[in-house]
Amino acid sequence: MSTSTLYRLGAVAGFLSGFFMILGRILARLPNTQPGEIVDLLSPFFALFFATALYLGQRRESGIFGTIAYFLLFVGLVVVVCLDFYGAFMRIYLPDDMIVLIEEGPSAPVFLVGLLTFLIGEILFGISVIRAGVYSKIAAVLFMAGLIPVALHPTGLFPESVVDIAAASAGAGLIWWSIELFKLAGDKEASPAPVLTQ
């Protein structure tokens, strides 16, 4: 697979991730919350592919800091996908006492560590984007500021209205980056191949 194709596919994944993040919050307002939960699952799932392509587009400029930030973000996204799968397909069918046992019992630290990993990863990744200067710094701020309330949503620290606005902010940042990554793919195609000398 060529670099330009990888970037284009990553850009599509990023657009879908941002779109599903915004749509998920809209559907969460419905009486039946499962559609919103399923859409919420799709956002971090596509973000796994998008984050990889986005990182590869700035790996030289971001250096070792960018690599560490990408690793933490990727691990955090994997955990979020698992938690969203639980919320979309398992939690809604469990009795209340079992939900309390899972979320407040011995497994509670797993939820906490996973969310903290995602939170730290997304903040560091946003900083790496700002430092590298390949993609929009404004989109990085939208991404970081938006995902803080979204990541902490299960804790109840932020009201639903704030989480809605934050998800729209983070989704806009993802879509913005997706457009830039798509343009980067075109630049890679347009750049001449290096001349080999003997």
Side-chain angles (χ1 to χ4, degrees):
M1 180 186 297
S2 67
T3 302
S4 58
T5 301
L6 174 66
Y7 289 170
R8 283 198 177 95
L9 291 174
V12 172
F15 181 87
L16 291 174
S17 178
F19 172 75
F20 286 134
M21 181 177 291
I22 297 169
L23 180 61
R25 290 305 304 168
I26 295 173
L27 295 178
R29 296 297 189 178
L30 297 177
N32 179 9
T33 60
Q34 188 176 25
E37 296 279 0
I38 294 173
V39 171
D40 277 342
L41 167 64
L42 294 174
S43 179
F45 174 77
F46 282 109
L48 286 168
F49 303 98
F50 176 55
T52 301
L54 200 69
Y55 162 69
L56 291 175
Q58 65 162 19
R59 65 188 182 281
R60 291 180 182 175
E61 293 83 357
S62 62
I64 187 66
F65 179 84
T67 302
I68 295 171
Y70 161 73
F71 175 77
L72 290 173
L73 176 62
F74 191 90
V75 171
L77 283 170
V78 170
V79 174
V80 170
V81 169
C82 295
L83 293 178
D84 283 350
F85 182 88
Y86 159 75
F89 298 108
M90 299 173 64
R91 189 180 192 276
I92 58 174
Y93 300 113
L94 297 176
D96 291 341
D97 56 341
M98 188 170 291
I99 292 175
V100 172
L101 180 63
I102 292 173
E103 298 180 7
E104 299 180 13
S107 59
V110 177
F111 288 86
L112 180 61
V113 171
L115 289 175
L116 285 177
T117 302
F118 172 68
L119 184 62
I120 294 169
E122 66 93 359
I123 292 173
L124 292 181
F125 190 80
I127 293 172
S128 75
V129 169
I130 293 173
R131 284 165 47 113
V134 175
Y135 308 110
S136 168
K137 296 179 181 179
I138 298 175
V141 173
L142 292 174
F143 172 78
M144 288 188 293
L147 281 185
I148 291 173
V150 171
L152 297 176
H153 179 234
T155 66
L157 291 175
F158 297 93
E160 294 294 324
S161 58
V162 172
V163 178
D164 290 343
I165 296 171
S169 170
L174 290 171
I175 293 171
W176 190 333
W177 277 343
S178 300
I179 295 171
E180 292 184 325
L181 186 61
F182 199 88
K183 290 178 180 178
L184 185 62
D187 294 341
K188 290 288 183 183
E189 266 187 347
S191 61
V195 177
L196 299 178
T197 57
Q198 294 182 344

